[in-house]
Amino acid sequence: MNQNRITSLFKIQYPIIQAGMIWCSGWELASAVSNAGGLGIIGSGSMYPDILEQHLIKCKAATNKPFAVNLPLIYPQVADHIDLIIKYQVPIVFTSAGNPKTYTAKFKEHNIKVVHVVSSAKFARKAEEAGVDAIVAEGFEAGGHNGREETTTLVLIPMVVDAVKIPVIAAGGIASGRAMAAAFALGAEGVQIGSRFVASVESSAHINFKKRVVEAGEGETLLTLKELTPVRLLQNKFYNDVMKAYQRGATKEELSQLLGRGRAKKGMFEGDLDEGELEIGQVSGMINDIKPAAEILHEILQEFHLVTQKLGNVKF
Ligand code: NDP
Ligand code: NDP
């Protein structure tokens, strides 16, 4: 594949970016994806600063290719994480869940590329005004925390592409070369892939969660808890408890109490499939095996080339 604005910006071979996913994307997954020619991301939202530091050291030892850190701006110790990102000269930061105006200038001072994750064209414009280098536009299909607007990837990507001049990376529902080709047809110049990489050998997700993702079928995830932070989850006992709470008209406070603390860790990292939060995308219904990350990336690329070739031959 030739270079495009995304591969040039990140100095990578292929415009495939592995999403920063709390509890699932530590240094092992990030370095495996970067070594395979994509961009690996350490999901720092679930890491205390000392843990992030360990992961930065290990990631740098495991790859000499560029990698990034995903920094949810609502993270309680965001300033400590930023200091570490600067100290370890991480070349790229993906910010999410917050205002990109707050830290973009600081990262730029240190020559760090900034990408912001949005779920609407309105926020894409704001991020561009704040000076970010690229946008991740994430559709309703995506796993985990998600926008309130419920705009699907098919609708969101062209809207965002038309709204900004900077390059757009498509996310939400992409786990195959077919989906990558569709995203490029909509104007994206890169794809960000989360769920498929959860079911990789190198992901730090608990094996119970990886197996559950492989078993998941069509329609098994739903977006819920919009009153708190909207999140797409696999249906399980915890999810059913949330539904029962809605049925009895639970208040926001009651929902918050039911969610409690550390549900995501319990489900995805400790493998408690009943009581934990199991954050994954709709596309989990199409994921059927656990494979090394490099194999996943190359299969996606191969299919992308086949599909784009085939489409190139379509004449009416
Ligand atoms: P290592 O292989 O160096 O070490 C694994 C560590 O993880 C061990 O210390 C082990 O503790 C601990 N661990 C294993 N399962 C759990 C669990 N269910 N809950 C809490 N701790 C657990 O791992 P890495 O280099 O991959 O990771 C370094 C650190 O980063 C570890 O502390 C790990 O927990 C954390 N991590 C955090 C992630 C996140 O998203 N927040 C993702 C990946 C790792 P022991 O064997 O002593 O019980
Ligand atoms: P909870 O409030 O339920 O739990 C916080 C979890 O984060 C705990 O498991 C805790 O680990 C871990 N943690 C790591 N560093 C810190 C810290 N400095 N202070 C407190 N807790 C810390 O949060 P969730 O599991 O729902 O969310 C986890 C993280 O995901 C949030 O902290 C936030 O940064 C991020 N997030 C990202 C979003 C996005 O990217 N769009 C949206 C919403 C949240 P332990 O159990 O070991 O104490």
Side-chain angles (χ1 to χ4, degrees), residues 18-19 21 29 173-176 192-201 203 210 213-214 280-281 283-284 286-293 295-297 299-300:
Q18 160 252 312
M21 301 168 287
L29 179 58
I174 303 168
S176 64
Q192 182 177 273
I193 296 180
S195 300
R196 186 62 192 94
F197 283 118
V198 167
S200 68
V201 172
S203 127
K210 292 186 193 179
V213 169
V214 167
I280 203 81
V283 79
S284 53
M286 295 182 77
I287 296 170
N288 301 317
D289 47 20
I290 301 167
K291 282 184 185 159
E295 227 173 274
I296 292 173
L297 186 141
E299 275 179 13
I300 291 172

Side-chain angles (χ1 to χ4, degrees), residues 17-259:
I17 293 123
Q18 160 252 312
M21 301 168 287
I22 57 164
W23 299 116
C24 301
S25 58
W27 68 273
E28 239 182 306
L29 179 58
S31 59
V33 173
S34 287
N35 280 334
L39 184 73
I41 303 189
I42 295 176
S44 76
S46 49
M47 297 180 178
Y48 286 94
D50 59 324
I51 299 285
L52 175 60
E53 185 160 24
Q54 283 182 39
H55 282 254
L56 291 174
I57 293 168
K58 288 181 181 174
C59 201
K60 288 192 102 154
T63 183
N64 52 18
K65 303 261 178 75
F67 67 91
V69 169
N70 172 224
L71 183 63
L73 298 173
I74 54 165
Y75 178 77
Q77 283 170 275
V78 70
D80 293 337
H81 272 17
I82 291 175
D83 288 346
L84 286 167
I85 287 165
I86 293 169
K87 178 177 169 191
Y88 285 92
Q89 297 174 317
V90 177
I92 308 150
V93 170
F94 280 53
T95 56
S96 55
N99 188 341
K101 269 194 188 149
T102 329
Y103 299 108
T104 299
K106 177 158 185 169
F107 286 126
K108 294 278 176 178
E109 271 170 34
H110 293 270
N111 219 5
I112 296 168
K113 303 269 186 284
V114 184
V115 182
H116 192 68
V117 184
V118 301
S119 55
S120 70
K122 183 176 145 196
F123 285 124
R125 265 186 235 108
K126 273 193 161 180
E128 185 175 48
E129 278 163 24
V132 307
D133 298 285
I135 297 279
V136 171
E138 187 181 78
F140 176 64
E141 299 91 324
H145 294 296
N146 204 318
R148 287 191 161 75
E149 301 85 354
E150 301 201 352
T151 311
T152 58
T153 303
L154 194 67
V155 174
L156 179 67
I157 302 309
M159 276 186 177
V160 172
V161 165
D162 289 349
V164 297
K165 292 195 177 64
I166 52 178
V168 175
I169 298 160
I174 303 168
S176 64
R178 285 184 279 174
M180 180 174 167
F184 273 63
L186 297 173
E189 291 174 62
V191 288
Q192 182 177 273
I193 296 180
S195 300
R196 186 62 192 94
F197 283 118
V198 167
S200 68
V201 172
E202 296 88 349
S203 127
S204 53
H206 194 282
I207 187 66
N208 293 351
F209 180 47
K210 292 186 193 179
K211 285 184 176 162
R212 180 68 189 87
V213 169
V214 167
E215 281 164 17
E218 182 184 353
E220 279 196 56
T221 70
L222 281 167
L223 189 76
T224 187
L225 292 172
K226 280 190 163 188
E227 297 77 0
L228 308 174
T229 315
V231 62
R232 180 175 296 285
L233 299 174
L234 268 173
Q235 294 169 19
N236 66 350
K237 178 183 174 296
F238 167 66
Y239 175 90
N240 291 332
D241 289 345
V242 171
M243 291 304 116
K244 280 182 208 148
Y246 276 115
Q247 276 160 15
R248 60 171 188 268
T251 61
K252 188 175 164 185
E253 287 66 35
E254 284 165 333
L255 288 172
S256 177
Q257 225 168 18
L258 173 62
L259 175 63

